[in-house]
Amino acid sequence: MSQIDQVLAAAKALADRGKLPSVALLKAQLSNSIPLPILIKGLQQFKAMPKAEQARLVGQVEVEAEVIIADSSPEQAVARLTQELKQLKAAYQQLDARLTRLESQEKTA
């Protein structure tokens, strides 16, 4: 699975959960470090896709996800989840800091 395919799959997963895919959500969703230009390009491709093409993407992603899960050892799964947890914590801290800044700006305005 190419990096763009990973971005498309993550965007579809977010959309399926009712969330609007964004660069920040994609970065938090993906367990490996994908360069920002690729994240942006993949997100743009996803947003430009017709719904029918997105539906076909789901079938491809599910098959590839099953292969990845079957091929990974418990140690690899734990390592991947640990990395994802670190990314989620970092994203949370960034959002919390942004919220604090916005709230302080609102109070001074």
Side-chain angles (χ1 to χ4, degrees), residues 92-106:
Y92 170 78
Q93 289 171 344
Q94 290 174 349
L95 287 172
D96 190 42
R98 182 175 180 197
L99 177 62
T100 303
R101 282 194 311 272
L102 289 172
E103 286 175 342
S104 68
Q105 288 175 357
E106 185 178 282

mmCIF file with all atom_site columns, all heavy atoms in Angstrom, residues 92-106:
data_model
loop_
_atom_site.group_PDB
_atom_site.id
_atom_site.type_symbol
_atom_site.label_atom_id
_atom_site.label_alt_id
_atom_site.label_comp_id
_atom_site.label_asym_id
_atom_site.label_entity_id
_atom_site.label_seq_id
_atom_site.pdbx_PDB_ins_code
_atom_site.Cartn_x
_atom_site.Cartn_y
_atom_site.Cartn_z
_atom_site.occupancy
_atom_site.B_iso_or_equiv
_atom_site.pdbx_formal_charge
_atom_site.auth_seq_id
_atom_site.auth_comp_id
_atom_site.auth_asym_id
_atom_site.auth_atom_id
_atom_site.pdbx_PDB_model_num
ATOM 1   N N   . TYR A 1 92  ? -3.449  15.773 20.974 1.00 0.00 ? 92  TYR A N   1
ATOM 2   C CA  . TYR A 1 92  ? -4.279  16.286 22.067 1.00 0.00 ? 92  TYR A CA  1
ATOM 3   C C   . TYR A 1 92  ? -3.626  17.504 22.713 1.00 0.00 ? 92  TYR A C   1
ATOM 4   O O   . TYR A 1 92  ? -4.291  18.515 22.971 1.00 0.00 ? 92  TYR A O   1
ATOM 5   C CB  . TYR A 1 92  ? -4.512  15.198 23.118 1.00 0.00 ? 92  TYR A CB  1
ATOM 6   C CG  . TYR A 1 92  ? -5.146  15.736 24.372 1.00 0.00 ? 92  TYR A CG  1
ATOM 7   C CD1 . TYR A 1 92  ? -6.508  16.022 24.416 1.00 0.00 ? 92  TYR A CD1 1
ATOM 8   C CD2 . TYR A 1 92  ? -4.383  15.989 25.505 1.00 0.00 ? 92  TYR A CD2 1
ATOM 9   C CE1 . TYR A 1 92  ? -7.085  16.538 25.560 1.00 0.00 ? 92  TYR A CE1 1
ATOM 10  C CE2 . TYR A 1 92  ? -4.959  16.507 26.649 1.00 0.00 ? 92  TYR A CE2 1
ATOM 11  C CZ  . TYR A 1 92  ? -6.298  16.784 26.678 1.00 0.00 ? 92  TYR A CZ  1
ATOM 12  O OH  . TYR A 1 92  ? -6.866  17.301 27.809 1.00 0.00 ? 92  TYR A OH  1
ATOM 13  N N   . GLN A 1 93  ? -2.330  17.417 22.970 1.00 0.00 ? 93  GLN A N   1
ATOM 14  C CA  . GLN A 1 93  ? -1.628  18.534 23.595 1.00 0.00 ? 93  GLN A CA  1
ATOM 15  C C   . GLN A 1 93  ? -1.667  19.775 22.701 1.00 0.00 ? 93  GLN A C   1
ATOM 16  O O   . GLN A 1 93  ? -1.846  20.894 23.187 1.00 0.00 ? 93  GLN A O   1
ATOM 17  C CB  . GLN A 1 93  ? -0.181  18.144 23.913 1.00 0.00 ? 93  GLN A CB  1
ATOM 18  C CG  . GLN A 1 93  ? -0.077  17.149 25.041 1.00 0.00 ? 93  GLN A CG  1
ATOM 19  C CD  . GLN A 1 93  ? 1.323   16.600 25.232 1.00 0.00 ? 93  GLN A CD  1
ATOM 20  O OE1 . GLN A 1 93  ? 2.172   16.728 24.355 1.00 0.00 ? 93  GLN A OE1 1
ATOM 21  N NE2 . GLN A 1 93  ? 1.563   15.971 26.369 1.00 0.00 ? 93  GLN A NE2 1
ATOM 22  N N   . GLN A 1 94  ? -1.529  19.577 21.391 1.00 0.00 ? 94  GLN A N   1
ATOM 23  C CA  . GLN A 1 94  ? -1.598  20.707 20.463 1.00 0.00 ? 94  GLN A CA  1
ATOM 24  C C   . GLN A 1 94  ? -2.987  21.324 20.472 1.00 0.00 ? 94  GLN A C   1
ATOM 25  O O   . GLN A 1 94  ? -3.139  22.551 20.501 1.00 0.00 ? 94  GLN A O   1
ATOM 26  C CB  . GLN A 1 94  ? -1.236  20.261 19.048 1.00 0.00 ? 94  GLN A CB  1
ATOM 27  C CG  . GLN A 1 94  ? 0.221   19.918 18.871 1.00 0.00 ? 94  GLN A CG  1
ATOM 28  C CD  . GLN A 1 94  ? 0.501   19.337 17.492 1.00 0.00 ? 94  GLN A CD  1
ATOM 29  O OE1 . GLN A 1 94  ? -0.403  19.004 16.743 1.00 0.00 ? 94  GLN A OE1 1
ATOM 30  N NE2 . GLN A 1 94  ? 1.779   19.208 17.165 1.00 0.00 ? 94  GLN A NE2 1
ATOM 31  N N   . LEU A 1 95  ? -4.012  20.490 20.461 1.00 0.00 ? 95  LEU A N   1
ATOM 32  C CA  . LEU A 1 95  ? -5.387  20.994 20.481 1.00 0.00 ? 95  LEU A CA  1
ATOM 33  C C   . LEU A 1 95  ? -5.702  21.695 21.797 1.00 0.00 ? 95  LEU A C   1
ATOM 34  O O   . LEU A 1 95  ? -6.365  22.736 21.815 1.00 0.00 ? 95  LEU A O   1
ATOM 35  C CB  . LEU A 1 95  ? -6.377  19.849 20.240 1.00 0.00 ? 95  LEU A CB  1
ATOM 36  C CG  . LEU A 1 95  ? -6.429  19.311 18.820 1.00 0.00 ? 95  LEU A CG  1
ATOM 37  C CD1 . LEU A 1 95  ? -7.304  18.063 18.769 1.00 0.00 ? 95  LEU A CD1 1
ATOM 38  C CD2 . LEU A 1 95  ? -6.938  20.360 17.863 1.00 0.00 ? 95  LEU A CD2 1
ATOM 39  N N   . ASP A 1 96  ? -5.219  21.140 22.890 1.00 0.00 ? 96  ASP A N   1
ATOM 40  C CA  . ASP A 1 96  ? -5.446  21.749 24.191 1.00 0.00 ? 96  ASP A CA  1
ATOM 41  C C   . ASP A 1 96  ? -4.772  23.117 24.267 1.00 0.00 ? 96  ASP A C   1
ATOM 42  O O   . ASP A 1 96  ? -5.368  24.089 24.753 1.00 0.00 ? 96  ASP A O   1
ATOM 43  C CB  . ASP A 1 96  ? -4.938  20.828 25.301 1.00 0.00 ? 96  ASP A CB  1
ATOM 44  C CG  . ASP A 1 96  ? -5.351  21.295 26.676 1.00 0.00 ? 96  ASP A CG  1
ATOM 45  O OD1 . ASP A 1 96  ? -6.513  21.713 26.841 1.00 0.00 ? 96  ASP A OD1 1
ATOM 46  O OD2 . ASP A 1 96  ? -4.504  21.239 27.596 1.00 0.00 ? 96  ASP A OD2 1
ATOM 47  N N   . ALA A 1 97  ? -3.547  23.213 23.771 1.00 0.00 ? 97  ALA A N   1
ATOM 48  C CA  . ALA A 1 97  ? -2.835  24.493 23.773 1.00 0.00 ? 97  ALA A CA  1
ATOM 49  C C   . ALA A 1 97  ? -3.559  25.509 22.884 1.00 0.00 ? 97  ALA A C   1
ATOM 50  O O   . ALA A 1 97  ? -3.699  26.682 23.247 1.00 0.00 ? 97  ALA A O   1
ATOM 51  C CB  . ALA A 1 97  ? -1.400  24.294 23.296 1.00 0.00 ? 97  ALA A CB  1
ATOM 52  N N   . ARG A 1 98  ? -4.048  25.055 21.745 1.00 0.00 ? 98  ARG A N   1
ATOM 53  C CA  . ARG A 1 98  ? -4.771  25.950 20.839 1.00 0.00 ? 98  ARG A CA  1
ATOM 54  C C   . ARG A 1 98  ? -6.065  26.437 21.487 1.00 0.00 ? 98  ARG A C   1
ATOM 55  O O   . ARG A 1 98  ? -6.421  27.608 21.405 1.00 0.00 ? 98  ARG A O   1
ATOM 56  C CB  . ARG A 1 98  ? -5.069  25.239 19.531 1.00 0.00 ? 98  ARG A CB  1
ATOM 57  C CG  . ARG A 1 98  ? -5.761  26.109 18.524 1.00 0.00 ? 98  ARG A CG  1
ATOM 58  C CD  . ARG A 1 98  ? -5.937  25.406 17.210 1.00 0.00 ? 98  ARG A CD  1
ATOM 59  N NE  . ARG A 1 98  ? -6.617  26.285 16.279 1.00 0.00 ? 98  ARG A NE  1
ATOM 60  C CZ  . ARG A 1 98  ? -7.197  25.892 15.181 1.00 0.00 ? 98  ARG A CZ  1
ATOM 61  N NH1 . ARG A 1 98  ? -7.167  24.620 14.839 1.00 0.00 ? 98  ARG A NH1 1
ATOM 62  N NH2 . ARG A 1 98  ? -7.809  26.739 14.397 1.00 0.00 ? 98  ARG A NH2 1
ATOM 63  N N   . LEU A 1 99  ? -6.771  25.539 22.137 1.00 0.00 ? 99  LEU A N   1
ATOM 64  C CA  . LEU A 1 99  ? -8.008  25.913 22.815 1.00 0.00 ? 99  LEU A CA  1
ATOM 65  C C   . LEU A 1 99  ? -7.729  26.940 23.907 1.00 0.00 ? 99  LEU A C   1
ATOM 66  O O   . LEU A 1 99  ? -8.461  27.927 24.042 1.00 0.00 ? 99  LEU A O   1
ATOM 67  C CB  . LEU A 1 99  ? -8.670  24.669 23.408 1.00 0.00 ? 99  LEU A CB  1
ATOM 68  C CG  . LEU A 1 99  ? -9.950  24.914 24.208 1.00 0.00 ? 99  LEU A CG  1
ATOM 69  C CD1 . LEU A 1 99  ? -11.031 25.518 23.317 1.00 0.00 ? 99  LEU A CD1 1
ATOM 70  C CD2 . LEU A 1 99  ? -10.428 23.622 24.829 1.00 0.00 ? 99  LEU A CD2 1
ATOM 71  N N   . THR A 1 100 ? -6.681  26.734 24.658 1.00 0.00 ? 100 THR A N   1
ATOM 72  C CA  . THR A 1 100 ? -6.313  27.674 25.717 1.00 0.00 ? 100 THR A CA  1
ATOM 73  C C   . THR A 1 100 ? -6.012  29.050 25.139 1.00 0.00 ? 100 THR A C   1
ATOM 74  O O   . THR A 1 100 ? -6.461  30.067 25.668 1.00 0.00 ? 100 THR A O   1
ATOM 75  C CB  . THR A 1 100 ? -5.099  27.135 26.506 1.00 0.00 ? 100 THR A CB  1
ATOM 76  O OG1 . THR A 1 100 ? -5.431  25.848 27.036 1.00 0.00 ? 100 THR A OG1 1
ATOM 77  C CG2 . THR A 1 100 ? -4.718  28.069 27.638 1.00 0.00 ? 100 THR A CG2 1
ATOM 78  N N   . ARG A 1 101 ? -5.251  29.081 24.027 1.00 0.00 ? 101 ARG A N   1
ATOM 79  C CA  . ARG A 1 101 ? -4.945  30.367 23.372 1.00 0.00 ? 101 ARG A CA  1
ATOM 80  C C   . ARG A 1 101 ? -6.219  31.045 22.887 1.00 0.00 ? 101 ARG A C   1
ATOM 81  O O   . ARG A 1 101 ? -6.403  32.249 23.073 1.00 0.00 ? 101 ARG A O   1
ATOM 82  C CB  . ARG A 1 101 ? -3.987  30.161 22.197 1.00 0.00 ? 101 ARG A CB  1
ATOM 83  C CG  . ARG A 1 101 ? -2.539  29.963 22.573 1.00 0.00 ? 101 ARG A CG  1
ATOM 84  C CD  . ARG A 1 101 ? -1.602  30.109 21.381 1.00 0.00 ? 101 ARG A CD  1
ATOM 85  N NE  . ARG A 1 101 ? -2.011  29.352 20.211 1.00 0.00 ? 101 ARG A NE  1
ATOM 86  C CZ  . ARG A 1 101 ? -1.683  28.091 19.953 1.00 0.00 ? 101 ARG A CZ  1
ATOM 87  N NH1 . ARG A 1 101 ? -0.914  27.427 20.792 1.00 0.00 ? 101 ARG A NH1 1
ATOM 88  N NH2 . ARG A 1 101 ? -2.103  27.482 18.862 1.00 0.00 ? 101 ARG A NH2 1
ATOM 89  N N   . LEU A 1 102 ? -7.108  30.278 22.261 1.00 0.00 ? 102 LEU A N   1
ATOM 90  C CA  . LEU A 1 102 ? -8.349  30.861 21.743 1.00 0.00 ? 102 LEU A CA  1
ATOM 91  C C   . LEU A 1 102 ? -9.235  31.379 22.864 1.00 0.00 ? 102 LEU A C   1
ATOM 92  O O   . LEU A 1 102 ? -9.846  32.444 22.735 1.00 0.00 ? 102 LEU A O   1
ATOM 93  C CB  . LEU A 1 102 ? -9.100  29.826 20.906 1.00 0.00 ? 102 LEU A CB  1
ATOM 94  C CG  . LEU A 1 102 ? -8.468  29.470 19.553 1.00 0.00 ? 102 LEU A CG  1
ATOM 95  C CD1 . LEU A 1 102 ? -9.201  28.306 18.921 1.00 0.00 ? 102 LEU A CD1 1
ATOM 96  C CD2 . LEU A 1 102 ? -8.449  30.667 18.634 1.00 0.00 ? 102 LEU A CD2 1
ATOM 97  N N   . GLU A 1 103 ? -9.297  30.648 23.968 1.00 0.00 ? 103 GLU A N   1
ATOM 98  C CA  . GLU A 1 103 ? -10.099 31.105 25.094 1.00 0.00 ? 103 GLU A CA  1
ATOM 99  C C   . GLU A 1 103 ? -9.534  32.367 25.708 1.00 0.00 ? 103 GLU A C   1
ATOM 100 O O   . GLU A 1 103 ? -10.282 33.272 26.083 1.00 0.00 ? 103 GLU A O   1
ATOM 101 C CB  . GLU A 1 103 ? -10.202 30.003 26.148 1.00 0.00 ? 103 GLU A CB  1
ATOM 102 C CG  . GLU A 1 103 ? -11.121 28.867 25.745 1.00 0.00 ? 103 GLU A CG  1
ATOM 103 C CD  . GLU A 1 103 ? -11.133 27.718 26.743 1.00 0.00 ? 103 GLU A CD  1
ATOM 104 O OE1 . GLU A 1 103 ? -10.205 27.613 27.575 1.00 0.00 ? 103 GLU A OE1 1
ATOM 105 O OE2 . GLU A 1 103 ? -12.074 26.908 26.677 1.00 0.00 ? 103 GLU A OE2 1
ATOM 106 N N   . SER A 1 104 ? -8.211  32.470 25.790 1.00 0.00 ? 104 SER A N   1
ATOM 107 C CA  . SER A 1 104 ? -7.610  33.672 26.339 1.00 0.00 ? 104 SER A CA  1
ATOM 108 C C   . SER A 1 104 ? -7.793  34.861 25.393 1.00 0.00 ? 104 SER A C   1
ATOM 109 O O   . SER A 1 104 ? -7.994  35.985 25.842 1.00 0.00 ? 104 SER A O   1
ATOM 110 C CB  . SER A 1 104 ? -6.127  33.455 26.662 1.00 0.00 ? 104 SER A CB  1
ATOM 111 O OG  . SER A 1 104 ? -5.388  33.286 25.471 1.00 0.00 ? 104 SER A OG  1
ATOM 112 N N   . GLN A 1 105 ? -7.773  34.626 24.098 1.00 0.00 ? 105 GLN A N   1
ATOM 113 C CA  . GLN A 1 105 ? -8.030  35.687 23.123 1.00 0.00 ? 105 GLN A CA  1
ATOM 114 C C   . GLN A 1 105 ? -9.464  36.172 23.234 1.00 0.00 ? 105 GLN A C   1
ATOM 115 O O   . GLN A 1 105 ? -9.739  37.354 23.108 1.00 0.00 ? 105 GLN A O   1
ATOM 116 C CB  . GLN A 1 105 ? -7.750  35.212 21.698 1.00 0.00 ? 105 GLN A CB  1
ATOM 117 C CG  . GLN A 1 105 ? -6.298  35.034 21.375 1.00 0.00 ? 105 GLN A CG  1
ATOM 118 C CD  . GLN A 1 105 ? -6.088  34.443 19.975 1.00 0.00 ? 105 GLN A CD  1
ATOM 119 O OE1 . GLN A 1 105 ? -7.037  34.125 19.281 1.00 0.00 ? 105 GLN A OE1 1
ATOM 120 N NE2 . GLN A 1 105 ? -4.829  34.291 19.584 1.00 0.00 ? 105 GLN A NE2 1
ATOM 121 N N   . GLU A 1 106 ? -10.374 35.241 23.452 1.00 0.00 ? 106 GLU A N   1
ATOM 122 C CA  . GLU A 1 106 ? -11.797 35.587 23.560 1.00 0.00 ? 106 GLU A CA  1
ATOM 123 C C   . GLU A 1 106 ? -12.050 36.449 24.786 1.00 0.00 ? 106 GLU A C   1
ATOM 124 O O   . GLU A 1 106 ? -12.849 37.374 24.746 1.00 0.00 ? 106 GLU A O   1
ATOM 125 C CB  . GLU A 1 106 ? -12.626 34.311 23.632 1.00 0.00 ? 106 GLU A CB  1
ATOM 126 C CG  . GLU A 1 106 ? -14.128 34.562 23.619 1.00 0.00 ? 106 GLU A CG  1
ATOM 127 C CD  . GLU A 1 106 ? -14.889 33.260 23.634 1.00 0.00 ? 106 GLU A CD  1
ATOM 128 O OE1 . GLU A 1 106 ? -14.984 32.629 22.569 1.00 0.00 ? 106 GLU A OE1 1
ATOM 129 O OE2 . GLU A 1 106 ? -15.377 32.891 24.721 1.00 0.00 ? 106 GLU A OE2 1
#
